[in-house]
Amino acid sequence: MKIHCLGTTGYHPNDRRHTSCYFLPADGVVLDAGSGMYRLPPLIETDSLDILLSHSHLDHILGLTFLLDILHLRPVESVRVWGEPDKLAAVREHLFHGLIFPAPIPVQWRPIEPGEVVRIGVSGSVTVDSREQEHPGGSLAYRLRWTAPAKTLIYATDSVGDTSADCCRWMAGADLLMHECYFRDSEQQWAVKTGHCWTSRATGIAQAAEVASLLLTHINPLASGDDPIDIAAARAIFAETRVAADGDVITF
Ligand SMILES: [Zn+2]
Ligand SMILES: [Zn+2]
């Protein structure tokens, strides 16, 4: 199973990272539609796309407005956009207001309730469910499961980090946990204030859930150096940790 990191920061792009977007070409599944989504066309292998939105903050939806060019370069038969009903309504009403964006986009809007199980991807090969997270306005963590081969991927972004036993059980044993880590430990008070996660919290969740590997995402765009989240501190807690960068292709 391969996931392409098309955008690995939050809030705004910087010279090395676009905002949140990840792609699983074999299934045509897109995780969030940040500014990195313009990189999609040469990677598309399927006749349909399923875009899962964690929530409707701009850094996760802006790329929806790029779809006209994306589908011009690489047409597909159908595009489904999944997310909580109020988030989809906000996107349709505001991002695609005629004075913000001048043309309709050819997608099907598919509201999902937290916890609801849906099947997406080519012939429904991916089973998806979700959990609510603590973040301004709320966000969803998604769990994607495949049966052949048996794999589990968890995408948990824009969250202060859920350390509850219930969440730990939900994430338990995942092959790959993608968890946001916007801040270093020294900036923990900003993380709590803004509904984001920090190094020891994200790695502690991976350790408690006994996942196979952890990919830290949604990196602070102001931390544009080579070691944005203190990787040594992260690996001291959970050894199988890496920090997502644009262009990375992660195998799990
Ligand atoms: Zn964000
Ligand atoms: Zn957000």
Side-chain angles (χ1 to χ4, degrees), residues 130-196:
S130 59
R131 272 181 72 88
E132 289 178 286
Q133 303 183 114
E134 187 183 334
H135 186 65
S139 64
L140 287 184
Y142 288 107
R143 181 170 63 176
L144 287 72
R145 286 179 286 184
W146 293 259
T147 49
K151 293 280 182 189
T152 300
L153 166 69
I154 290 168
Y155 179 62
T157 194
D158 292 64
S159 166
V160 75
D162 187 344
T163 57
S164 69
D166 199 38
C167 181
C168 193
R169 273 192 297 276
W170 187 73
M171 293 181 170
D175 297 281
L176 177 64
L177 168 61
M178 300 170 67
H179 201 289
E180 84 131 271
C181 188
Y182 197 91
F183 289 110
R184 302 166 80 91
D185 280 1
S186 58
E187 298 160 320
Q188 183 180 331
Q189 81 275 20
W190 284 107
V192 172
K193 208 175 273 186
T194 58
H196 290 293

Side-chain angles (χ1 to χ4, degrees), residues 54-60 135-136 138-139 158 180 194-196 218:
S54 60
H55 64 316
S56 51
H57 285 163
L58 269 177
D59 53 326
H60 302 258
H135 186 65
S139 64
D158 292 64
E180 84 131 271
T194 58
H196 290 293
H218 202 264

Side-chain angles (χ1 to χ4, degrees), residues 19-115:
T19 73
S20 298
C21 188
Y22 300 86
F23 185 46
L24 294 136
D27 298 290
V29 172
V30 182
L31 302 176
D32 275 331
S35 64
M37 204 160 100
Y38 79 92
R39 295 175 164 140
L40 209 51
L43 300 172
I44 296 173
E45 297 176 4
T46 53
D47 287 329
S48 66
L49 292 174
D50 286 287
I51 302 173
L52 298 174
L53 299 181
S54 60
H55 64 316
S56 51
H57 285 163
L58 269 177
D59 53 326
H60 302 258
I61 62 168
L62 175 67
L64 291 173
T65 65
F66 307 161
L67 272 168
L68 297 181
D69 263 3
I70 290 168
L71 299 174
H72 170 71
L73 292 169
R74 177 43 170 102
V76 299
E77 283 164 17
S78 61
V79 181
R80 296 173 286 266
V81 181
W82 304 83
E84 285 184 273
D86 58 339
K87 310 296 195 297
L88 294 189
V91 169
R92 298 180 69 175
E93 188 178 336
H94 299 292
L95 187 66
F96 291 104
H97 187 288
L99 296 181
I100 304 279
F101 190 76
I105 54 162
V107 304
Q108 301 163 36
W109 302 96
R110 295 291 182 92
I112 38 173
E113 299 294 340

